[in-house]
Amino acid sequence: MIRIFRAPSFLAPVCGLLFVAMAAHASAKDPLPLEKLKLPKGFEIAVYSADVPNARELAIGTRGTVFAGSRRVGKVYALTDADQDGRAETVRVIVDGLQLPVGVAFHEGDLYVSAVSQILVYRNIEDHLDTPPKAEVVVSDLPGETHHGWKFIAFGPDGKLYVPIGAPCNVCDREGYAKLLRMNPDGSGREDVAYGVRNSVGFDWQPGTNALWFTENGRDLLGDDLPSDELNRVGRTGEHFGFPYCHQGDTLDPEFGEGKRCADYTAPALKLGPHVAALGMRFYDGKMFPAAYRGAAIIAQHGSWNRTQKSGYRVMTVRLDGNKVLGYEPLIEGFLENEESWGRPADVLVMPDGALLVSDDQAGAIYRVTYAAKRQ
């Protein structure tokens, strides 16, 4: 059964103020067509909020506040579900006017936000949702190119902030780009973690091993079926994953692959499919879903933009046994119908109760996925 909720949509303007609170009022928008979505038996999906324009990366605070970055609208949102009914009744715009603030990460009470060349921090954010503090600049000298310049960010189990530096192109070979780096929370101690990463917009650390896994978007303009997007695992610091010389672990680039060997680079743990635009990923560490999902990687696939027959537009489950991939199957399908999409998944987030949130930047919504075993 699919339950559909119409989330609040009312903007309370405050003249002269940068930050705007969105209060709970009846939505005038048409309800989202959740009846078109297909999930495995026992799973249900509902709208957590339909008032988050261009919702991208998600993070959660210690008091349950859900934070969402955006790309096109330059805003960061804070969502609260005070009555804990599985639906955010209040959505606040806590940051506005930033450049592609896709990335949000919560750490020791503070909210970190990526803005292309900058990483900003908002101290003690959950104490100040109605009157957000002035941003402090953590980093201001990251590359300023906007091509793959938006950044998914996250804190690792080592307490360091991990930041991708995407290639400023479809395919090129430029020093200082196409990598993952990490730094201390104050921006010091920067260290490159992985190279040959064209553009990662999602990563997480595997429960039990603390190994870093990440999604990677393959290059364009090699046809409909090449190359595949990737799910990768970092086995050692400084590992090289092939870009721009080798794609999907076995295909040399027609321009930059001359004289190279794919065997010299780390192959993906899993090919995710051509042009699916794999973005946010998290390991499922909750207890609500069936045991088969524990420790699985859940991946939001935003969907292709120039493939003849569109691909992606879904949320996928990758079942793992340590480093070994056991299965790859859909968790949510149905955002694409007759080559037209009404939604594009961008990130996933496991909630404290085990439910899964999914952001959708096309519909401007966040969904909540739950599981309830049916009694016989």
Side-chain angles (χ1 to χ4, degrees), residues 125-143:
I125 187 63
E126 287 185 296
D127 288 332
H128 306 287
L129 294 178
D130 290 318
T131 55
K134 183 178 179 181
E136 296 178 20
V137 178
V138 175
V139 171
S140 61
D141 61 348
L142 298 175

Side-chain angles (χ1 to χ4, degrees), residues 31 63 73 113 173 218 228 278:
R63 301 178 196 172
V73 299
V113 177
D173 191 2
S228 178

Side-chain angles (χ1 to χ4, degrees), residues 307-318:
R307 196 168 185 266
T308 303
Q309 186 174 356
K310 292 181 178 180
S311 59
Y313 302 90
R314 58 190 182 178
V315 176
M316 299 294 289
T317 299
V318 181

Side-chain angles (χ1 to χ4, degrees), residues 73-112:
V73 299
K75 302 178 188 291
V76 177
Y77 306 90
L79 296 84
T80 52
D81 175 17
D83 58 7
Q84 298 184 356
D85 67 348
R87 174 185 179 187
E89 64 274 353
T90 306
V91 179
R92 298 173 175 90
V93 175
I94 57 170
V95 180
D96 199 356
L98 292 183
Q99 185 180 30
L100 308 177
V102 167
V104 288
F106 189 87
H107 180 67
E108 296 184 349
D110 302 329
L111 181 67
Y112 289 72

